[in-house]
Amino acid sequence: MLKRLSAVLVVAFSAAPALAIECPITHAIYEQPGGDVSLRFTALPEDAAVNQIAAFSIAIDGVTAKFDGAIYLPNGFGQPNGVVGLDCTGADGEQCGFWEGVVYALGGDGIEEYPHDAEIGLAAQMAPRQVLLPQFAVNVWYSLLRQDAFADERNVLDTFTLAACAK
């Protein structure tokens, strides 16, 4: 019995994903279970607002619409707020508001504000284990994207887990 329990524990822990990947935030790739929904951070655009601390895009398999997001520190301090725009006109660069809210992360002590240290360059800041965009999934559900986004029993969630680090 003890050998069987030991074997089960070894398999369970070896099959579990690593809890931490050392990755600069600008190279972080996050996924939801199944890998059909992903979030990728990128370098800040040259024309970024002074209080923008991160830029990202979200892709949902089966959805052709392009989601572009940004995280800001309102007035340079406070809780990080995020926005996700949706390419709704087909014209390059024109976005319609799709989601807006506070951005949270899973840190060493649990759920906390999205981390940002103004003293460290963005490329040197490490990615949190998870990023939470509260109510993002609800916005997808109540949009014209629902049929494609939730096809084949796929779930779109609010939480994205660090899956890889692009080099």
Side-chain angles (χ1 to χ4, degrees), residues 45-104:
E46 287 185 26
D47 61 347
V50 171
N51 64 341
Q52 184 176 350
I53 60 171
F56 61 90
S57 62
I58 297 174
I60 302 173
D61 284 356
V63 174
T64 57
K66 183 179 176 188
F67 297 94
D68 286 319
I71 301 174
Y72 298 90
L73 285 178
N75 298 322
F77 63 92
Q79 285 185 314
N81 286 321
V83 294
V84 174
L86 176 64
D87 178 9
C88 57
T89 64
D92 193 31
E94 287 197 43
Q95 298 277 312
C96 291
F98 186 78
W99 173 87
E100 187 173 337
V102 176
V103 179
Y104 296 98

Side-chain angles (χ1 to χ4, degrees), residues 24-46:
I25 191 67
T26 55
H27 296 277
I29 301 170
Y30 292 81
E31 291 182 348
Q32 293 183 353
D36 293 335
V37 183
S38 63
L39 182 150
R40 289 177 173 252
F41 279 93
T42 60
L44 290 176
E46 287 185 26

Side-chain angles (χ1 to χ4, degrees), residues 103-159:
V103 179
Y104 296 98
L106 178 63
D109 295 328
I111 296 173
E112 52 194 36
E113 292 178 358
Y114 180 83
H116 176 69
D117 186 343
E119 303 295 320
I120 301 173
L122 188 60
Q125 294 187 42
M126 293 297 114
R129 293 184 294 174
Q130 289 184 325
V131 173
L132 174 63
L133 307 177
Q135 301 295 312
F136 175 77
V138 170
N139 285 19
V140 176
W141 180 260
Y142 287 109
S143 73
L144 296 174
L145 305 173
R146 174 174 35 188
Q147 186 171 354
D148 294 332
F150 288 89
D152 301 322
E153 297 183 23
R154 175 187 312 124
N155 277 327
V156 176
L157 307 171
D158 295 340
T159 305

Side-chain angles (χ1 to χ4, degrees), residues 1-14:
M1 178 70 167
L2 188 56
K3 285 183 182 180
R4 193 148 104 203
L5 180 59
S6 296
V8 169
L9 289 174
V10 167
V11 170
F13 285 117
S14 64

